[in-house]
Amino acid sequence: MILDTFKLDGKVAAVTGGGRGIGQAYAVALAEAGADVALVDVIGCEETEEKVRAAGRRAVSLTADLGAGREAAQRVMDDIVAAMGNLDILVNNAGIIRREPFTEHSEQNWDDVISINLSSVFFLSQAAASKMIAQGRGGKIINVASMLSFQGGILVPGYAASKGGVKSLTMLMANELAKYGICCNAIAPGYIATENTQPIRENAERNKAILDRIPAGRWGTPEDLMGIVVFLASPASDYMNGYTVAVDGGWLAR
């Protein structure tokens, strides 16, 4: 049956930035599809853990600074495998944004955003891929890109650069890891109602401009992203590799 190919029974997934918002939605979706879930965040993940366990799956959470470099990323992956037994799926969801005009954007803001949004994706994926290769049963790595992987945006140079990098890195990873049975794809959320986008939604003029361009006529919700993460994590997408999927209410179509 086709629906069986979407099941994640017996799989272990790791989700960064899983404490709230989109990351929490990803974690819950994977759990409801049958996966046990390891959560990684700088904040507490107790609420997400409860939701994963309510779906009948195991949950563990790790507190980590994902901007701390390669060794820190390796420790995160080691701790996940020690706690869960193996690793089949990695969702690189953690991300930050800093808003400043291009000519005023500080070096610190640039470095912080690139470190979390791009460098941590590289280092965590390196460590996860090594685990998956050693296990010998393939795997799925799902990066989180953005509309700004396709567009330039305004006032967020570090974010735009990092998300463009995520899209390209995803393609490179697909090229190099496919021979090991590891599929690497990315999700590009549109305008989703989260804490990151709250300042935009509170700006009446900017909010109206955004809604006027979205064919769906509304902001997305984290729940709108649950189906795509299950698809990309499951056998249903085994012949899909190196692609960035926009879930944007039609934004890019305009």
Side-chain angles (χ1 to χ4, degrees):
M1 296 292 290
I2 185 61
L3 291 181
D4 290 338
T5 67
F6 290 84
K7 292 181 179 179
L8 300 176
D9 297 349
K11 304 293 186 181
V12 173
V15 180
T16 68
R20 62 189 175 193
I22 293 173
Q24 183 176 95
Y26 289 148
V28 172
L30 295 171
E32 290 181 353
D36 297 324
V37 184
L39 306 160
V40 185
D41 211 323
V42 292
I43 64 172
C45 295
E46 294 83 4
E47 181 179 86
T48 310
E49 282 191 76
E50 290 179 9
K51 291 177 180 290
V52 169
R53 294 191 178 109
R57 309 312 309 168
R58 290 187 299 152
V60 65
S61 62
L62 293 80
T63 302
D65 175 9
L66 296 178
R70 177 182 277 116
E71 290 185 5
Q74 184 64 60
R75 285 195 298 272
V76 167
M77 289 298 113
D78 289 344
D79 289 346
I80 288 172
V81 172
M84 306 296 272
N86 56 277
L87 178 68
D88 303 288
I89 302 155
L90 170 63
V91 182
N92 283 307
N93 167 74
I96 61 174
I97 193 166
R98 297 285 186 268
R99 291 183 172 88
E100 278 184 320
F102 177 78
T103 55
E104 301 168 20
H105 204 75
S106 71
E107 181 177 1
Q108 188 64 59
N109 281 342
W110 173 272
D111 288 345
D112 288 348
V113 171
I114 295 296
S115 177
I116 297 296
N117 292 12
L118 184 57
S119 296
S120 78
V121 172
F122 174 50
F123 295 135
L124 287 167
S125 296
Q126 274 190 322
S130 295
K131 299 287 186 188
M132 293 172 182
I133 291 168
Q135 290 168 180
R137 62 185 200 183
K140 299 294 182 86
I141 299 178
I142 303 165
N143 298 325
V144 176
S146 165
M147 291 296 92
L148 299 194
S149 299
F150 304 91
Q151 301 174 318
I154 57 171
L155 303 177
V156 287
Y159 188 83
S162 69
K163 293 303 185 178
V166 166
K167 182 174 181 289
S168 292
L169 180 61
T170 300
M171 291 188 285
L172 177 139
M173 289 164 54
N175 289 337
E176 294 200 25
L177 299 177
K179 63 185 178 182
Y180 302 109
I182 300 171
C183 293
C184 304
N185 293 288
I187 301 168
Y191 283 93
I192 308 297
T194 65
E195 288 188 17
N196 267 353
T197 59
Q198 186 173 348
I200 300 175
R201 287 181 284 118
E202 290 177 348
N203 181 323
E205 183 178 352
R206 184 89 171 99
N207 183 64
K208 182 180 185 303
I210 288 169
L211 288 176
D212 284 347
R213 177 171 168 166
I214 300 173
R218 66 174 177 86
W219 283 76
T221 68
E223 289 73 23
D224 288 318
L225 298 164
M226 294 174 78
I228 189 63
V229 77
V230 170
F231 170 62
L232 293 178
S234 73
S237 62
D238 278 353
Y239 198 59
M240 186 171 175
N241 213 352
Y243 194 68
T244 297
V245 185
V247 183
D248 64 351
W251 172 273
L252 288 177
R254 292 289 287 269

